[in-house]
């Protein structure tokens, strides 16, 4: 997610009515996005591949494409892992570790990218999302209580493996 971690979505790869959502239905590997968020002077498109396991752990890989209104497009990649839980129609995820992988911007070193991610996780490591729809192969969710209004956009996911 690189710079886009500020917009990290706790993607509760979510269709059915909320009362029918089960932990079992959320398990597996999902690809979410690209989800587009607009900030002042830029947009960010985030694509996440997330695996949720029965032991309430997850791992993900994120690609964030940051497009400034003026300037060069930058693609950042990171990976993280943590824990998740389901409460009604809300999925809560806690980031336990995040690792900066790469950036297309040669001025953003791995060390600087990691420092930025670590700083963002120190400010907020718990994310919540509301499941809007869920079936066997697709889901829709939206963040709840984000630090940034721009991050509160709906995300669509598709199941890759169950």
């Amino acid at each position: 997610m690189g710079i886009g971690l500020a917009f990290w979505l706790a993607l509760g790869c979510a269709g059915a009515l909320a009362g029918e959502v089960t932990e079992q239905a959320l398990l597996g590997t999902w690809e979410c996005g690209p989800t587009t968020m607009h900030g002042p002077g830029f947009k960010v498109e985030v694509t996440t591949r997330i695996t949720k396991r029965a032991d309430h752990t997850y791992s993900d890989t994120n690609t964030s494409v940051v497009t400034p209104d003026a300037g060069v497009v930058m693609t950042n990649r990171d990976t993280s892992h943590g824990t998740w839980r389901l409460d009604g129609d809300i999925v809560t995820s806690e980031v336990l570790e995040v690792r900066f992988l790469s950036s297309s911007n040669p001025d953003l070193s791995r060390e600087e990218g990691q420092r930025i991610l670590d700083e963002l996780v120190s400010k907020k490591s718990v994310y919540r999302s509301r499941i809007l729809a869920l079936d066997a192969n697709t889901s829709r969710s939206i963040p709840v209580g984000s630090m940034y209004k721009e991050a509160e956009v709906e995300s669509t996911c598709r199941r890759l493996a169950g």
Side-chain angles (χ1 to χ4, degrees), residues 111-147:
E111 294 77 18
E112 180 64 10
Q114 187 65 50
R115 186 194 65 72
I116 292 167
L117 290 178
D118 290 342
E119 184 177 297
L120 290 169
V121 169
S122 75
K123 290 179 184 175
K124 182 171 177 130
S125 63
V126 176
Y127 297 86
R128 299 172 66 219
S129 62
R130 181 175 311 282
I131 298 169
L132 303 174
L134 173 66
D135 63 33
N137 296 307
T138 60
S139 69
R140 292 179 17 252
S141 62
I142 191 162
V144 174
S146 176
M147 285 181 14

Side-chain angles (χ1 to χ4, degrees), residues 16 26 53 78 80 83 87 97 100 145 153:
L26 298 174
R53 297 176 199 86
D78 70 79
S80 68
T83 62
D87 297 307
E97 183 179 22
F100 183 80
V153 297

